[in-house]
Amino acid sequence: MIRWTNFDALESYKALNALNKVDLVKEMSGENGAKRAAEYSVPMAGGLAFNYAAKAVDADTLKVLAQLADEAQLTEKYAALYNGEMINTGEKRLVLHQLTRGQLGSDVIADGVNKREFYAAQQAKINDFVAKVHSGEIANAAGEKFTTVVQIGIGGSDLGPRAMYLALENWAKNNGCFKMEARFISNVDPDDAAAVLKSIDVAHSLFILVSKSGTTLETLTNESFVKDALANAGLDASKHMVAVTSETSPLAKSSDYLAAFFMDDYIGGRYSSTSAVGGAVLSLAFGSDVFARFLNGAAEEDKLARNTDLLSNPDMLDALIGVYERNFLGYSATAVLPYSQALSRFPAHLQQLDMESNGKSVNRFGEPVDYVTGPVIFGEPGTNGQHSFYQLLHQGTDIIPLQFVGFKNNQAGMDVVIQNSTSQQKLCANVAAQIMAFACGKEDDNRNKYFAGNRPSSIIIGEQLTPEALGALLAHFENKVMFQGFVWNLNSFDQEGVQLGKVLAKRVLAHETTGALKVFSDLLGI
Amino acid sequence: MIRWTNFDALESYKALNALNKVDLVKEMSGENGAKRAAEYSVPMAGGLAFNYAAKAVDADTLKVLAQLADEAQLTEKYAALYNGEMINTGEKRLVLHQLTRGQLGSDVIADGVNKREFYAAQQAKINDFVAKVHSGEIANAAGEKFTTVVQIGIGGSDLGPRAMYLALENWAKNNGCFKMEARFISNVDPDDAAAVLKSIDVAHSLFILVSKSGTTLETLTNESFVKDALANAGLDASKHMVAVTSETSPLAKSSDYLAAFFMDDYIGGRYSSTSAVGGAVLSLAFGSDVFARFLNGAAEEDKLARNTDLLSNPDMLDALIGVYERNFLGYSATAVLPYSQALSRFPAHLQQLDMESNGKSVNRFGEPVDYVTGPVIFGEPGTNGQHSFYQLLHQGTDIIPLQFVGFKNNQAGMDVVIQNSTSQQKLCANVAAQIMAFACGKEDDNRNKYFAGNRPSSIIIGEQLTPEALGALLAHFENKVMFQGFVWNLNSFDQEGVQLGKVLAKRVLAHETTGALKVFSDLLGI
């Protein structure tokens, strides 16, 4: 029997509060530090490992965190979710994104359909379409192959797929499986669509319109932009566009599109990269085989997230350390710092995933909670960030926990030796160095050159950013956010906080405003 | 006589602490809200205005903030800086970035040189070079014009110039002054250089190597990458590269470069967009006239920053409201949210500018301070952010102050009417709506749909993102950060916090490690 209980009503909440703080400077120095670095590591899928040696936890902390996992019934709640219980209570929806990449528990039948089969069938339909596009069986009016795919979508229809595309672009180019360039149009700012349209050859471009409801204003507006551009080029828009939407949306059976691929209400936008939302664009760009490998990586990580032993469950462990930092160490933000240029937009995806899921003040019953919930998430790739905001991370007045990611090998297979090391070695040396600099700091009589240390980080280390590794990485953070939502007793799968702005924007456009809103509308020339 | 005093030693510190908190819901509702929205506005340069109606301040707050400005001698300290006093005491350097775009006070003579004349002469040298490149007088070995310029630099040599380039790219294309595509290589990750090099035609590319010291490891490594690519294409690298560096650097008089343009130690990297660091790449991309207009916008804003009346000094006012929020309202982060796709990387530039300048725990004398300093800065363009992290901004447990930016007109001159409004109107309607949604919130018996409001924001509103507007925007934030540094009694112009990581990374590459650092190095395959 699952109990949905507020975090501060749990016994382990008190136990966590009573813990002695861990001194990272001491823990990470000398032989003890070496032992931690070697032992505080959990295997992940895709050849990755989650290393938490430089987190401010010790055996005592981990013991209480394991009690918390048990008391908060994290494993049971995860099982309830993937077995099809209605976890998104606010919107009365199941939460099934894990089913898009595998079968974890029992069959989930909803709306009279086996949902695993439904998602697999949609991807099979995509694969069939993709094969025809790549072979030229589906081509433009002149019978020429499409060379570019343009995703039109915003939020979850943009950030995740875009981050995944950038993550694999160079890997695909270097491994002979790069099929089509992908571009993305998201913002309602007309300069966004204009810039993308100017940079592509529309006659050889295939557009994917992505909107679950089929009513997202930004996306419909940008569709209209694209249709104008196609018409101006003398092209039939319906031969250049496909839709990714729900079966009940106005886009589902429109003759405006070459094809329609479906997701449903059980896939939240920010969890949709492994559904048709990511499936269409990524399969067109890299081939269906690569997308299947990406799904496999995610599915394997989902399996690890079932482990009941906290210390062999990387997703749950990461989640609970994060909760400890947020609620008991008082840290209000987390920086995501991938030492991989390919992950340049991965932090922007995690920003949505995490902040939209757990940036909430009421529990799943709509009651205000008395503890802090989701942190601010931000980040940029290393080493770039070192030359930017790391100053504050090292010597600022607030402590910001850090999430590093690093790979032994690069993707493009090009490198150069300068001062006796390759660029890849320099990249990896920097992330190793940063972990230790943040943890242990440095004494100096000149306080300007003094580093207090005790700034916690974890690192996910892999061989190379492959499709499997990327899938595992994505699922890791999805599952981390899910577990944190369970602990905080939130509904991590709705987003009521985005509604008010939409309502007021409509009022502005209808000129139905008074007071300050009218003044701001006037100032902005509306 | 200037007194460098800690913030908490000022009388106004106590007065700020004693202020009643302003209720934004009340202040921004009804007629009073309309009055505030109209009146709480300060003109900026470039046709911009800083509107702070939705900040949690009132006449009482503003009065005490004006006392603070006075007591902390902000105007005097700014004058000392631009008149050439040694403000960067840690590194014993003057701080002269404002001189790159105008003469605010008396002549500054340093190292026997009139520094204003020096910076102007460097830009004149750039203009001469640019004219020759654009005319084809300076061309590749085949006598063909260069079409692409690639900036090789990291940190301040990358983030600012890149953000400025993206900000004006579409404006330039739409106004007939787009001259050359620009690209940027920054990360030591070899995949960064590999991807850029694969995407350009090196035979028609001019590379700008940017490093003040001439010793930045990332930049030298990437230079080597580029030289290899040029050599592989059978090209003479020295005919494809220029350097932007200091006169004393090893790059200054090298025959490896077509030309060298100089900055000096008085221009911090994060303040270098208006120096040769931004001047070379932006003048090549858009022409010297456009760059001159950008400098003019910045220079005009610098002049406004001298206003002694706080309410007519947009930079100082923004700074002091930010200090009040940070130190007395307890807000630890600020989100920068430009409703303009062209400003997509402007938040990343501000992240460096702000966090590297004021992310410090010791005052300018190296003594620990007992108050919090620079906040975390993050952000993405709207409306994209609305579909991502705004959930937390509206309903999360922490309050994050917001910095909006909006323009009445777009840049590309393309637009489309959907549901009776243009995309530009939708964009502007959204930002107006967000200000009010954050300030006033919404009552609802369903707590899941309830918005508490009292989430402060300011907005900078302009006609269009022109070169002048961009210059003003850049200088506004540079001056804001400077004034905040003065209040916090920090040295905002050094960055000792980046040194330790560099030292440890060198040790890793030399295999001179023990303990946890050795383990991490091994795990990362070094």
Side-chain angles (χ1 to χ4, degrees):
Chain A
M1 184 63 195
I2 287 179
R3 300 173 304 274
W4 297 101
T5 309
N6 278 2
F7 184 25
D8 54 0
L10 302 179
E11 286 302 316
S12 40
Y13 184 91
K14 292 180 202 114
L16 284 166
N17 209 18
L19 282 170
N20 290 322
K21 303 288 179 281
V22 170
D23 180 359
L24 262 185
V25 178
K26 191 168 143 248
E27 290 287 336
M28 286 302 286
S29 297
E31 277 312 299
N32 193 46
K35 197 159 173 285
R36 276 177 71 102
E39 292 176 1
Y40 275 41
S41 175
V42 191
M44 295 170 56
L48 305 175
F50 173 68
N51 190 303
Y52 58 103
K55 284 290 190 187
V57 295
D58 61 11
D60 289 343
T61 328
L62 294 169
K63 198 175 141 203
V64 184
L65 290 177
Q67 288 168 12
L68 168 61
D70 196 42
E71 191 182 5
Q73 299 179 296
L74 299 186
T75 303
E76 292 86 339
K77 286 172 183 168
Y78 179 34
L81 182 146
Y82 62 66
N83 283 322
E85 286 191 34
M86 195 185 68
I87 295 294
N88 179 354
T89 43
E91 299 178 307
K92 304 209 188 315
R93 292 175 178 174
L94 317 188
V95 176
L96 300 182
H97 52 273
Q98 280 101 348
L99 267 192
T100 60
R101 54 224 190 194
Q103 182 78 52
L104 283 167
S106 43
D107 282 348
V108 177
I109 315 292
D111 317 326
V113 175
N114 178 313
K115 295 311 289 189
R116 169 64 191 151
E117 288 172 9
F118 171 77
Y119 300 131
Q122 292 308 313
Q123 188 55 40
K125 212 165 93 182
I126 289 171
N127 294 350
D128 182 56
F129 179 83
V130 165
K132 287 177 180 159
V133 170
H134 290 170
S135 72
E137 188 181 335
I138 295 176
N140 72 6
E144 297 156 341
K145 281 190 186 183
F146 291 110
T147 58
T148 304
V149 51
V150 183
Q151 176 110 328
I152 308 170
I154 195 164
S157 304
D158 169 53
L159 291 165
R162 191 195 294 250
M164 301 307 129
Y165 173 75
L166 293 174
L168 292 180
E169 183 182 6
N170 286 311
W171 177 89
K173 284 179 179 166
N174 198 36
N175 285 275
C177 42
F178 188 76
K179 308 289 184 184
M180 295 170 76
E181 289 281 343
R183 303 297 301 274
F184 296 82
I185 298 175
S186 53
N187 204 329
V188 76
D189 181 346
D191 288 342
D192 188 16
V196 173
L197 288 170
K198 272 185 194 165
S199 75
I200 60 169
D201 168 18
V202 289
H204 296 88
S205 295
L206 194 60
F207 297 86
I208 310 178
L209 187 74
V210 188
S211 171
K212 184 157 62 180
S213 65
T215 62
T216 312
L217 191 56
E218 282 90 342
T219 302
L220 295 185
T221 303
N222 281 320
E223 178 192 24
S224 180
F225 244 99
V226 166
K227 282 186 171 169
D228 281 1
L230 288 163
N232 290 342
L235 299 164
D236 177 354
S238 70
K239 304 294 184 204
H240 284 259
M241 298 189 101
V242 301
V244 174
T245 188
S246 66
E247 282 181 290
T248 55
S249 109
L251 312 178
K253 290 199 172 62
S254 165
S255 58
D256 289 354
Y257 310 105
L258 274 171
F261 309 112
F262 302 131
M263 24 116 64
D264 59 28
D265 283 344
Y266 311 141
I267 309 296
R270 56 193 175 273
Y271 296 92
S272 67
S273 290
T274 53
S275 77
V277 172
V281 62
L282 297 173
S283 301
L284 283 164
F286 308 133
S288 300
D289 292 352
V290 170
F291 188 69
R293 291 176 56 185
F294 168 68
L295 294 187
N296 285 343
E300 290 305 309
E301 189 68 20
D302 289 341
K303 286 184 198 158
L304 292 178
R306 294 188 305 188
N307 287 347
T308 51
D309 170 23
L310 178 64
L311 298 188
S312 49
N313 186 327
D315 310 355
M316 193 187 286
L317 181 59
D318 196 1
L320 295 188
I321 294 172
V323 164
Y324 179 64
E325 291 175 331
R326 180 79 175 116
N327 295 93
F328 301 98
L329 301 180
Y331 304 151
S332 61
T334 295
V336 181
L337 308 167
Y339 276 61
S340 164
Q341 190 63 24
L343 293 176
S344 61
R345 292 299 286 168
F346 195 73
H349 169 63
L350 291 193
Q351 197 171 52
Q352 176 187 20
L353 176 67
D354 201 321
M355 293 173 72
E356 197 170 48
S357 295
N358 290 337
K360 292 168 187 168
S361 302
V362 296
N363 69 11
R364 52 192 303 113
F365 306 109
E367 300 155 353
V369 295
D370 291 329
Y371 41 83
V372 294
T373 59
V376 166
I377 304 287
F378 70 100
E380 293 285 337
T383 58
N384 288 5
Q386 291 178 203
H387 294 260
S388 170
F389 53 85
Y390 277 36
Q391 166 66 42
L392 182 144
L393 302 183
H394 278 290
Q395 294 188 320
T397 48
D398 291 355
I399 290 179
I400 318 285
L402 313 170
Q403 172 68 68
F404 292 111
V405 181
F407 301 95
K408 290 186 202 176
N409 302 301
N410 63 6
Q411 288 187 316
M414 281 172 67
D415 210 335
V416 65
V417 173
I418 298 282
Q419 296 178 12
N420 301 317
S421 59
T422 63
S423 286
Q424 184 65 33
Q425 287 170 328
K426 291 185 186 75
L427 182 70
C428 288
N430 271 282
V431 69
Q434 291 294 337
I435 295 169
M436 294 306 293
F438 281 113
C440 294
K442 180 176 80 77
E443 289 292 337
D444 201 304
D445 289 341
N446 179 346
R447 290 288 298 197
N448 202 23
K449 297 175 192 292
Y450 164 81
F451 294 75
N454 260 311
R455 304 195 173 219
S457 69
S458 61
I459 181 167
I460 293 172
I461 299 176
E463 290 291 324
Q464 191 188 35
L465 183 55
T466 60
E468 289 85 356
L470 183 65
L473 202 60
L474 177 76
H476 171 77
F477 286 103
E478 289 181 1
N479 295 332
K480 171 184 172 177
V481 167
M482 171 190 73
F483 285 128
Q484 291 189 331
F486 289 156
V487 172
W488 288 322
N489 205 26
L490 306 175
N491 178 2
S492 301
F493 304 101
D494 65 357
Q495 53 282 325
E496 290 294 342
V498 308
Q499 296 304 329
L500 177 57
K502 284 190 202 175
V503 171
L504 294 182
K506 276 192 187 159
R507 245 180 251 168
V508 174
L509 289 170
H511 299 282
E512 293 168 356
T513 56
T514 57
L517 186 52
K518 181 166 189 331
V519 177
F520 281 121
S521 302
D522 291 345
L523 289 172
L524 283 152
I526 310 158
Chain B
M1 184 63 194
I2 287 179
R3 301 172 303 274
W4 298 101
T5 309
N6 277 3
F7 185 23
D8 53 0
L10 302 179
E11 286 301 317
S12 41
Y13 184 91
K14 292 179 203 115
L16 284 166
N17 209 18
L19 281 170
N20 290 322
K21 303 289 180 278
V22 170
D23 180 0
L24 262 186
V25 178
K26 190 168 143 247
E27 290 287 336
M28 287 301 287
S29 298
E31 277 311 300
N32 192 47
K35 196 160 175 285
R36 277 176 72 103
E39 293 177 1
Y40 275 41
S41 175
V42 192
M44 295 170 56
L48 306 175
F50 172 68
N51 190 303
Y52 58 103
K55 283 290 190 186
V57 296
D58 60 12
D60 289 343
T61 329
L62 293 169
K63 199 177 141 198
V64 184
L65 290 178
Q67 288 168 12
L68 168 61
D70 197 43
E71 191 183 4
Q73 300 179 295
L74 298 187
T75 303
E76 293 87 339
K77 286 171 183 169
Y78 179 34
L81 181 146
Y82 63 66
N83 283 322
E85 286 191 33
M86 196 184 69
I87 295 296
N88 179 353
T89 43
E91 298 177 307
K92 304 209 190 310
R93 291 175 178 174
L94 317 188
V95 176
L96 299 182
H97 52 274
Q98 279 101 350
L99 267 192
T100 60
R101 54 221 190 197
Q103 181 79 53
L104 283 167
S106 42
D107 282 348
V108 178
I109 315 292
D111 316 325
V113 175
N114 178 312
K115 295 311 289 188
R116 169 64 191 152
E117 287 172 9
F118 171 76
Y119 299 131
Q122 292 307 312
Q123 188 55 40
K125 211 165 93 183
I126 289 171
N127 294 349
D128 181 57
F129 178 82
V130 166
K132 287 177 180 158
V133 170
H134 289 170
S135 73
E137 189 181 334
I138 295 175
N140 72 6
E144 297 156 340
K145 281 189 185 182
F146 291 111
T147 58
T148 303
V149 50
V150 183
Q151 177 110 327
I152 308 170
I154 195 164
S157 304
D158 169 52
L159 291 165
R162 191 194 294 249
M164 302 307 129
Y165 173 76
L166 294 174
L168 292 179
E169 183 182 8
N170 285 311
W171 177 89
K173 284 180 179 166
N174 197 36
N175 285 274
C177 43
F178 188 76
K179 309 290 185 183
M180 295 171 76
E181 290 281 343
R183 304 296 302 272
F184 296 83
I185 298 175
S186 52
N187 204 330
V188 76
D189 180 347
D191 288 342
D192 188 16
V196 173
L197 288 169
K198 271 186 194 165
S199 74
I200 59 169
D201 168 17
V202 289
H204 296 89
S205 296
L206 194 60
F207 296 86
I208 309 178
L209 188 74
V210 188
S211 171
K212 184 156 65 181
S213 65
T215 62
T216 313
L217 191 56
E218 282 91 342
T219 302
L220 295 184
T221 303
N222 281 320
E223 178 191 24
S224 180
F225 244 99
V226 166
K227 282 186 171 169
D228 282 0
L230 287 163
N232 291 342
L235 299 164
D236 177 354
S238 70
K239 304 295 185 205
H240 283 258
M241 298 191 102
V242 301
V244 174
T245 187
S246 66
E247 282 181 291
T248 54
S249 108
L251 312 179
K253 291 202 172 59
S254 166
S255 58
D256 289 354
Y257 310 106
L258 273 171
F261 309 113
F262 302 131
M263 26 118 60
D264 60 28
D265 282 346
Y266 312 141
I267 310 296
R270 56 193 175 273
Y271 296 92
S272 67
S273 290
T274 54
S275 77
V277 172
V281 63
L282 297 173
S283 301
L284 284 164
F286 307 132
S288 299
D289 291 352
V290 170
F291 188 69
R293 291 175 57 183
F294 168 68
L295 293 187
N296 285 343
E300 290 305 310
E301 188 68 19
D302 289 341
K303 286 183 198 159
L304 293 178
R306 294 188 305 186
N307 288 346
T308 51
D309 171 23
L310 178 63
L311 298 187
S312 49
N313 187 326
D315 308 355
M316 193 186 285
L317 181 59
D318 196 1
L320 295 188
I321 294 172
V323 165
Y324 179 64
E325 291 175 332
R326 180 80 174 113
N327 295 93
F328 301 98
L329 301 180
Y331 305 149
S332 60
T334 295
V336 181
L337 308 167
Y339 276 61
S340 163
Q341 190 63 24
L343 292 175
S344 61
R345 291 299 286 168
F346 195 73
H349 168 62
L350 291 193
Q351 195 171 54
Q352 176 186 21
L353 176 67
D354 201 322
M355 294 173 72
E356 197 170 48
S357 294
N358 290 337
K360 291 165 187 170
S361 302
V362 297
N363 68 12
R364 52 192 304 114
F365 307 109
E367 300 155 353
V369 296
D370 290 329
Y371 41 83
V372 293
T373 60
V376 166
I377 304 287
F378 71 100
E380 292 285 337
T383 58
N384 288 7
Q386 292 177 204
H387 294 259
S388 169
F389 53 86
Y390 277 37
Q391 165 67 41
L392 181 145
L393 302 182
H394 279 291
Q395 294 187 319
T397 48
D398 290 356
I399 290 180
I400 318 284
L402 313 170
Q403 173 69 67
F404 292 112
V405 181
F407 300 95
K408 290 186 201 176
N409 302 300
N410 63 5
Q411 289 187 315
M414 280 173 68
D415 210 334
V416 66
V417 174
I418 298 283
Q419 297 178 12
N420 301 317
S421 59
T422 63
S423 286
Q424 184 65 34
Q425 286 169 328
K426 291 184 186 77
L427 183 69
C428 288
N430 270 282
V431 69
Q434 290 295 336
I435 295 170
M436 294 305 293
F438 281 114
C440 294
K442 180 176 80 77
E443 289 292 337
D444 201 306
D445 289 342
N446 179 344
R447 292 288 297 198
N448 201 23
K449 297 175 192 292
Y450 164 82
F451 294 75
N454 260 311
R455 305 200 170 214
S457 69
S458 61
I459 180 166
I460 292 172
I461 299 177
E463 289 292 323
Q464 191 187 34
L465 184 55
T466 60
E468 289 85 355
L470 183 66
L473 201 61
L474 177 76
H476 171 77
F477 286 103
E478 289 181 2
N479 295 331
K480 171 185 173 176
V481 167
M482 171 190 74
F483 285 128
Q484 292 189 331
F486 288 157
V487 172
W488 287 321
N489 206 26
L490 307 175
N491 178 2
S492 301
F493 304 100
D494 65 356
Q495 53 283 323
E496 290 294 341
V498 309
Q499 296 304 328
L500 177 56
K502 285 190 202 175
V503 171
L504 295 183
K506 274 191 189 161
R507 245 180 252 166
V508 174
L509 290 170
H511 299 283
E512 292 169 356
T513 56
T514 57
L517 187 53
K518 182 168 188 330
V519 177
F520 281 120
S521 303
D522 291 344
L523 289 172
L524 283 151
I526 311 159

